[in-house]
Amino acid sequence: MPLSQKFKLDWKFVERFCGILKVLFPSCTSQSALLFGTLLVVTLTEQLIIYQVGVLPSRFYNVLADQDYSGFRSLVAKAMVLIIINSTLKSLDQFICNLMYVSWRKTLTESLHAAYFQGRVYYTVNVLREEVDNPMPSGCVSVRHPLNHPPPPTPFPPICHFNNVFCFCSTGWIGPVSIFGYFVIGTFANKILMGPIVSTLFEQEKLEGDFRFKHMQIRVNAESAAFYRAGKVEHMRTNRRLQALLQIQKSLVKKELWLYIGVNTFDYLGGFLSYIIIAIPIFTGVYDRLTPGELSALISKNAFVCIYLINGFTQLIDLSTTLSDVAGYTHRIGELREVMDDILHEQCDYDPASGESPVDTAFIVDQLSYKSPYADELLVEDLSLTISQGVHLLVVGNTGTGKTSLLRVLNRLWEAHSGFVQMTTCFGPRGTLFLPQKPYLTDGTLREQVIYPLKDIYPLSGAVDDERIVQFLELAGVSSLLRRTGGLDEEVDWNWYDVLSPGEMQRLSFARLFYLQPKYAFLDEATSALTEEAEAQLYRTCKQLGMTLISLGHRSSLEKYHDVQLRLCGGACWEITKLRGEAPH
């Protein structure tokens, strides 16, 4: 569906915007609601003060025409007080708006994070779903943009302002009606001009995310790219994304030109319209009985009332430029929330089975067939096996036959095409743990790397836990990291992927495995960057710690650490053979 048809100011925008408002204002007593209520009170008071300041010139006309010195002095004193109060209220208005921006950004971003990191949503939305590109980088930036625009300074639409009363008393019905008609025409014209901008702005946000992702990709994989001497080709690819972004930005600028022309035209027409409205009662003889001084004071007062009322409507018309931005960002955030909600409804994490399942079993697989989400051809068909405690399983096969895909299906990252998979143990320590083919190192200290993904015990770990961590670092052969980092809890300012070799990253992953000590450890080519001697030491330690190993790999040296071999032969075929000891269940 074209973007121009998919994203615009329509009912879908209203639904998404209301959904975001529910997040920003969860209750009437929430911080955001209290801040917004305070802002309304402040801005309403500000409007009353502004009116008093606005009619001061008409009073100066009177006292100066009457040469009233004492009245002039008191009016000057009153003017100074009103100006100070008005300036304070305006500053307080902006201060509250800035507080609301921080509060709203915190609330909305944390809401996105809560859905994004729940279950396997972050994996599915990044890898398996194509609706949203670069979801969280773009989503978080999209959060920042609309909230940067503070609410309009007037808490209620100008049509409800008491200025309408003064305008009606001075000019009759033609004054308020003319101003309202002017506002309706301006709103309709700007609605037409905003249509093309919303979809273009949405596309710009998408390309902005692609461009940032490209730089992040180079940053994370800088060493690998450097070994390929890939500077020129990455320069070309990055510039290609930049050019696509700049092209859509130029298109957006051209479309916004017409909107700016419309907005500025109505701004100037508003000032001109005020004099026409004021002139009508004057030239029709309504105020012929007034003296020149009184007429001057009345003209000054009416000019302020009409111009202020027109300015209020003009501000709403000017908001059309902001509204077009907000609409684009709202669609971006709303679409991301909808996709994540859809994923959460589809996914269901397994819980350990009830007492009916064997206590010494991790997985029961029956007639399982699976394939890649991006292909129709089955990788494996009708696979049946039981992963039981104490029976070490080796999964082998050529590249592309579905070894890692089997782990993805067991871990429910991918859905099975058909068949039955049951996880009968918990995930994590004393349960099941997966070591992926590419080690994952989070940001943080050395302790946080070892205990990952545990979070509850940090940073309250005591000396006993420190001794265990140091012991497991030594068993994994990376005790030197203690010297390089300065200790378990010293903050480091480097990227772990930049300073550790592939072998060190794999050893650190094993130190993490030793610390967590699961019953079942799934190892996806976890020693591919290590020597066979290092591999032997790590596998022996795993067995000494009581782990049942399920390994994926190509090395024949792995066979001696396992009891059963599952060979994936390609073409959806497979075979199970006994290596030594017990037969497969």
Side-chain angles (χ1 to χ4, degrees), residues 231-497:
K232 290 184 178 180
V233 66
E234 291 300 339
H235 182 195
M236 178 191 68
R237 290 177 177 272
T238 306
N239 274 351
R240 185 185 302 165
R241 302 215 179 194
L242 175 63
Q243 294 304 320
L245 173 60
L246 295 179
Q247 185 176 358
I248 202 70
Q249 285 182 331
K250 288 180 182 178
S251 174
L252 180 63
V253 168
K254 292 177 182 178
K255 293 177 180 179
E256 286 181 333
L257 172 63
W258 298 105
L259 179 61
Y260 293 147
I261 290 174
V263 169
N264 291 327
T265 299
F266 277 91
D267 284 350
Y268 285 103
L269 281 179
F272 181 69
L273 179 63
S274 65
Y275 293 104
I276 297 177
I277 294 173
I278 294 171
I280 293 175
I282 293 177
F283 289 120
T284 55
V286 174
Y287 300 120
D288 287 349
R289 67 182 183 281
L290 299 180
T291 65
E294 292 173 335
L295 184 61
S296 296
L298 182 64
I299 291 173
S300 175
K301 181 178 179 179
N302 288 345
F304 166 73
V305 171
C306 290
I307 291 175
Y308 189 70
L309 187 57
I310 291 172
N311 182 65
F313 281 113
T314 303
Q315 284 184 355
L316 291 183
I317 295 175
D318 290 348
L319 284 176
S320 58
T321 55
T322 300
L323 182 60
S324 62
D325 290 346
V326 171
Y329 299 129
T330 298
H331 279 303
R332 183 72 177 174
I333 298 170
E335 185 187 44
L336 175 59
R337 294 179 71 235
E338 290 165 6
V339 170
M340 291 193 296
D341 288 343
D342 182 49
I343 293 171
L344 283 173
H345 290 146
E346 291 178 357
Q347 289 183 351
C348 56
D349 290 319
Y350 333 69
D351 291 320
S354 62
E356 299 175 359
S357 300
V359 294
D360 60 347
T361 300
F363 284 92
I364 299 174
V365 179
D366 185 31
Q367 300 294 307
L368 172 66
S369 299
Y370 61 88
K371 61 184 181 64
S372 168
Y374 311 105
D376 296 327
E377 183 180 354
L378 288 177
L379 293 171
V380 170
E381 186 174 10
D382 295 336
L383 173 64
S384 296
L385 61 87
T386 300
I387 298 176
S388 301
Q389 189 171 1
V391 180
H392 306 287
L393 174 67
L394 175 63
V395 183
V396 298
N398 293 331
T399 301
T401 54
K403 298 188 300 299
T404 301
S405 300
L406 175 60
L407 295 192
R408 295 184 180 122
V409 173
L410 293 178
N411 203 17
R412 291 300 296 273
L413 298 181
W414 290 3
E415 294 298 326
H417 178 70
S418 63
F420 173 80
V421 177
Q422 182 182 15
M423 182 178 183
T424 60
T425 186
C426 61
F427 178 83
R430 298 173 299 279
T432 299
L433 198 68
F434 292 80
L435 253 61
Q437 190 170 12
K438 181 180 179 181
Y440 179 71
L441 304 178
T442 186
D443 57 319
T445 64
L446 179 58
R447 181 194 302 275
E448 290 174 300
Q449 301 298 337
V450 175
I451 70 173
Y452 187 86
L454 296 184
K455 60 182 185 302
D456 297 333
I457 64 172
Y458 183 81
L460 302 176
S461 304
V464 175
D465 196 60
D466 291 353
E467 293 176 3
R468 290 182 67 239
I469 293 176
V470 172
Q471 176 189 1
F472 294 139
L473 288 172
E474 292 175 352
L475 288 174
V478 283
S479 57
S480 60
L481 291 179
L482 286 167
R483 295 189 298 273
R484 292 165 65 179
T485 59
L488 290 176
D489 299 314
E490 292 296 322
E491 294 290 340
V492 295
D493 57 358
W494 63 57
N495 183 348
W496 288 89
Y497 290 99

Side-chain angles (χ1 to χ4, degrees), residues 531-544:
T531 63
E532 291 188 7
E533 291 77 11
E535 175 186 274
Q537 179 185 358
L538 295 173
Y539 267 82
R540 281 196 298 268
T541 303
C542 287
K543 288 192 171 185
Q544 289 170 2

